[in-house]
Amino acid sequence: MRLQGKIALVTGGARGIGLAIAKAFVAEGAIPVIADINEQGAGQALDELGASDGLALAVNVAEAASVHGMVQAIVDRYGRVDILVNNAGIGGNTPFLDITPEEWNRTISINLTGAFFVAQACAREMVKHRSGKIINIASLSGQRGGHGRAAYGAAKAGLELLTKVMAVELAESCINVNNIAPGAIETEMAKFAHDQATRAAYNYLIPMTRYGTPEEIADAAVFLSSDESRYIHGHTLNVDGGFRAAGLMFRGDKAAPSS
Ligand SMILES: NC(=O)c1ccc[n+]([C@@H]2O[C@H](COP(=O)([O-])OP(=O)(O)OC[C@H]3O[C@@H](n4cnc5c(N)ncnc54)[C@H](O)[C@@H]3O)[C@@H](O)[C@H]2O)c1
């Protein structure tokens, strides 16, 4: 019970990685706040958690007023936010030459500006208590030049840098800020964005030869939310089966997907 009694906000918690994180938090004694643009999904997720206390809230992270309403609702109920997991996001797989201004702006506004709005609003509460944990969910696509990842990757790279700036500025307020960069994780987003060829390429390029699970991200989120990670600050933890580490991969038994 490493998170006993902690008020833990997970944005985009209605499904996928966010829902798995919320489940792991509840197992460690946290009080979950599930906030999602899918209000019904947030409510169902909270029911699924079976926690004795908790909140389900509607939010569009890309709208500052909506974000402030969400944080106010948490403060009205609990008086504080102890843990934020900035997880809400959308995928994107459009080639660089085809991406429209609308798609670019939508991706940046949810995946980067939205994460900024939520982090700033929560941190403004956390500074009052001189305590807090913020975990941003970025992506390996923010570190490597994946095909079709212009807007998505730029947003996630921006989020990694934002994590560092927040870590520098918020340390004096005892707010601990880190970043998790998942590799390919088996969720609805991946099912939508990854066709068979993409899947074959990932399975070849990942040393562990498989997609990760939402629960494997959740385990990292629990660690970074707990006191055990107190001196880890401004760090990006890749949870990717070795995808970032890999260079030349010679697999005598397995052909590269393009051959
Ligand atoms: N699945 C992967 O392979 C993978 C890899 C790297 C990073 N990520 C990141 O992990 C996070 C979660 O991804 P997932 O695979 O669980 O996705 P998902 O699509 O299954 O879940 C995303 C959730 O965010 C919510 N959401 C979307 N836009 C929102 C908005 N404007 N305001 C509030 N909520 C909103 C959705 O309703 C949904 O419940 C995302 O930030 C994603 O970029 C995922």
Side-chain angles (χ1 to χ4, degrees):
M1 300 300 257
R2 286 177 285 174
L3 307 179
Q4 187 68 44
K6 299 286 185 192
I7 309 301
L9 166 62
V10 183
T11 66
R15 69 180 198 181
I17 291 171
L19 178 56
I21 290 172
K23 281 182 183 166
F25 280 0
V26 168
E28 294 288 344
I31 297 166
V33 179
I34 307 282
D36 204 288
I37 200 163
N38 176 357
E39 186 173 11
Q40 196 186 359
Q44 285 167 353
L46 187 66
D47 291 345
E48 197 180 322
L49 294 179
S52 56
D53 194 6
L55 264 183
L57 298 171
V59 70
N60 180 355
V61 296
E63 289 179 7
S66 177
V67 168
H68 288 124
M70 167 188 71
V71 173
Q72 194 55 53
I74 300 167
V75 171
D76 286 350
R77 172 83 167 255
Y78 297 112
R80 64 185 202 281
V81 184
D82 297 312
I83 298 166
L84 161 65
V85 181
N86 230 338
N87 166 79
I90 56 169
N93 219 5
T94 308
F96 173 72
L97 292 177
D98 299 332
I99 196 158
T100 61
E102 291 71 28
E103 185 179 351
W104 176 271
N105 287 335
R106 181 171 143 74
T107 306
I108 300 292
S109 72
I110 295 173
N111 290 3
L112 179 57
T113 311
F116 160 70
F117 286 155
V118 177
Q120 188 189 55
C122 288
R124 283 176 173 166
E125 293 303 321
M126 290 172 175
V127 294
K128 296 176 190 169
H129 302 274
R130 294 191 56 74
S131 152
K133 290 270 193 181
I134 298 177
I135 298 152
N136 294 321
I137 306 293
S139 173
L140 255 287
S141 294
Q143 300 174 17
R144 306 188 73 179
H147 191 276
R149 298 307 225 181
Y152 182 84
K156 295 299 191 178
L159 187 55
E160 262 199 48
L161 194 278
L162 181 63
T163 302
K164 291 176 185 160
V165 175
M166 287 165 58
V168 167
E169 294 194 14
L170 298 176
E172 66 181 17
S173 301
C174 306
I175 299 169
N176 190 205
V177 189
N178 289 293
N179 192 33
I180 292 174
I185 307 300
E186 198 62 82
T187 67
E188 292 304 313
M189 181 186 281
K191 281 179 195 144
F192 168 75
H194 298 186
D195 59 16
Q196 278 311 108
T198 306
R199 285 182 170 275
Y202 268 125
N203 286 332
Y204 183 82
L205 292 168
I206 295 167
M208 290 180 71
T209 67
R210 65 169 177 85
Y211 278 46
T213 65
E215 291 71 28
E216 286 167 328
I217 304 301
D219 286 342
V222 167
F223 170 64
L224 288 178
S225 300
S226 75
D227 194 49
E228 289 162 21
S229 61
R230 63 194 169 277
Y231 200 59
I232 300 173
H233 192 57
H235 182 70
T236 294
L237 178 57
N238 290 350
V239 183
D240 66 349
F243 180 51
R244 183 72 173 88
L248 174 66
M249 299 244 288
F250 177 72
R251 299 237 184 92
D253 60 327
K254 207 169 178 204
S258 58
S259 64

